[in-house]
């Protein structure tokens, strides 16, 4: 590949691990900074992947990481936090990244955003992502932006969460039950990113990434619980109760399962702007339907292993 040395910010995360695997498979040398090396242990054994402990929020560190790379892929993102945290991670990091790339003459930058972003969107998540996009679009770099809907895959924290909750509760009360999503498979997202890396035709373009079918949240929860072997009634909470539930979860220990900002994000349908969604040919992907693929991992047939999907398909 023309771009051979790639810095992948957020490479330790759910989507990142697939992106890194594709890049390594194509012979790239990949550098993945992380705040906790243990989080990226699945990448350490990959032959041409270096995982380093680094604080990417420090300018000098970011500069050192970007230096001598051919391209940068930014997958860093958060779902919960206060306004300043969203701003720091989703808006400031892309701005600093643009500056670091320009300074170190790294021309190629790929950024993962989200469907529904907008400067006046109803959630901090969507507004901060829009601000990050704006910094990249205003740059003179060879950038490409991706806006996925919710992403599903063996390690996802969306369908797996509902499948998990269904093992504990006799019914599932949810807010935003009618919110719309168009789930896209993690391998399709990662392949699209890897395929565009060297393709000049994708420079300066923003690509939506969605699956073949639109679902309501209620349908997704129902599916996940059933596929996990615990079919449960799904109860749609009215807005007031949903916000109370989310507020309660925000104050529970650990990372919240749901926040009021998540509910606000769901007010914008997470679906592609044109239906039926047809991915741009230069992305080189064919859309994978959710149900057969997700049913395999939700049924526990493969558990967070690199080869799990292959094993599950082979029924081993
Ligand atoms: N998953 C989805 O359904 C979905 C849908 C639409 C858009 N997206 C976007 O796609 C991107 C990747 O999503 P994902 O699901 O793979 O996320 P993820 O699994 O939560 O991974 C997030 C990554 O960001 C890094 N990170 C988070 N906060 C950070 C901070 N404060 N400082 C430094 N690094 C930080 C983490 O690195 P370490 O913890 O290793 O340091 C981790 O590698 C995100 O931008 C997300 O908004 C995801």
């Amino acid at each position: 590949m023309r771009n051979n040395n790639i810095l992948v910010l957020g490479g330790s995360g759910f989507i990142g691990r697939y992106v890194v695997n594709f890049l390594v498979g194509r012979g790239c040398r990949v550098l993945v900074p992380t705040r906790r090396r243990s989080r990226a242990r699945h990448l350490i054994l990959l032959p041409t992947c270096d995982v380093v402990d680094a604080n990417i929020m420090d300018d000098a560190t970011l500069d050192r990481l970007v230096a001598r790379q051919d391209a940068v892929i930014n997958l860093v993102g958060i779902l919960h936090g206060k306004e300043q945290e969203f701003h720091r991670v989703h808006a400031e990091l892309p701005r600093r990244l643009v500056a670091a790339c320009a300074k170190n003459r790294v021309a190629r930058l790929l950024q993962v955003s989200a469907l529904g972003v907008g400067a006046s969107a109803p959630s901090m998540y969507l507004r901060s992502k829009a601000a990050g996009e704006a910094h990249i679009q205003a740059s003179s770099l060879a950038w490409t932006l991706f806006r996925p809907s919710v992403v599903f895959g063996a390690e996802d924290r969306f369908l797996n969460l509902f499948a998990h909750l269904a093992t504990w509760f006799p019914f599932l009360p949810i807010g935003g039950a009618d919110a719309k999503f168009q789930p896209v498979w993690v391998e399709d997202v990662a392949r699209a990113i890897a395929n565009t890396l060297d393709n000049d035709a994708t420079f300066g373009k923003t690509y939506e990434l969605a699956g073949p079918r639109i679902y309501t949240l209620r349908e997704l929860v129902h599916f996940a619980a059933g596929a996990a072997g615990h079919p449960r009634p799904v109860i749609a909470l009215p807005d007031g109760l949903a916000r109370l539930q989310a507020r309660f979860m925000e104050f529970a220990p650990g990372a919240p399962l749901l926040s009021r900002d998540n509910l606000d994000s769901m007010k914008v349908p997470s679906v592609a702007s044109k239906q039926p969604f047809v991915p741009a040919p230069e992305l080189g992907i064919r859309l994978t339907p959710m149900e057969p693929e997700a049913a395999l991992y939700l049924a526990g047939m493969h558990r967070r292993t690199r080869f799990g999907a292959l094993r599950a398909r082979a029924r081993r």
Side-chain angles (χ1 to χ4, degrees), residues 260-277:
R260 284 166 290 171
D261 198 63
N262 297 155
L263 290 176
D264 289 337
S265 289
M266 288 196 278
K267 289 177 187 158
V268 183
S270 184
V271 302
S273 50
K274 282 195 197 126
Q275 299 293 338
F277 173 66

Side-chain angles (χ1 to χ4, degrees), residues 10 12-15 34-36 39 56-57 75-78 89 112-114 125 129 148-151 157:
S12 63
F14 164 48
I15 302 174
T34 174
R35 292 165 297 174
R36 279 162 296 151
R39 227 182 99 84
I56 57 173
M57 296 303 171
L75 295 134
V76 174
I78 55 172
V89 175
V112 178
S113 183
Y125 174 83
K129 282 267 184 197
S149 180
V150 67
V151 181
R157 282 188 297 266

Side-chain angles (χ1 to χ4, degrees), residues 72-202:
V72 179
I73 301 174
N74 181 24
L75 295 134
V76 174
I78 55 172
L79 271 177
H80 311 290
K82 299 204 172 5
E83 183 117 39
Q84 307 95 291
E85 288 168 79
F86 278 114
H87 184 73
R88 195 168 71 100
V89 175
H90 291 161
E92 274 298 289
L93 177 62
R95 184 192 63 73
R96 295 171 47 241
L97 204 45
V98 164
C101 286
K103 181 173 167 195
N104 290 286
R105 296 170 199 268
V106 176
R108 185 78 175 113
L109 176 61
L110 293 83
Q111 159 93 5
V112 178
S113 183
L115 275 179
V117 301
S120 49
S123 74
M124 296 183 282
Y125 174 83
L126 293 173
R127 287 193 299 274
S128 56
K129 282 267 184 197
E133 284 195 357
H135 287 303
I136 289 173
Q137 286 161 337
S139 77
S140 52
L141 302 175
W143 54 264
T144 305
L145 282 165
F146 299 91
R147 290 178 173 173
S149 180
V150 67
V151 181
F152 70 93
E155 305 83 3
D156 72 55
R157 282 188 297 266
F158 189 68
L159 296 180
N160 275 306
L161 169 67
F162 298 120
H164 187 69
L165 291 176
T167 63
W168 288 94
F169 297 105
F171 58 92
L172 297 168
I174 55 159
D178 295 322
K180 289 194 171 61
F181 294 92
Q182 200 165 357
V184 54
W185 194 32
V186 65
E187 289 198 21
D188 292 339
V189 173
R191 190 173 283 116
I193 293 171
N195 286 347
T196 51
L197 188 62
D198 273 349
N199 186 345
D200 301 18
T202 68

Side-chain angles (χ1 to χ4, degrees), residues 218-241:
R218 183 202 313 262
E219 288 169 333
L220 290 172
V221 175
H222 193 262
F223 163 74
H230 303 283
R232 297 283 184 262
V234 178
I235 317 279
L237 293 178
D239 273 2
L241 260 185

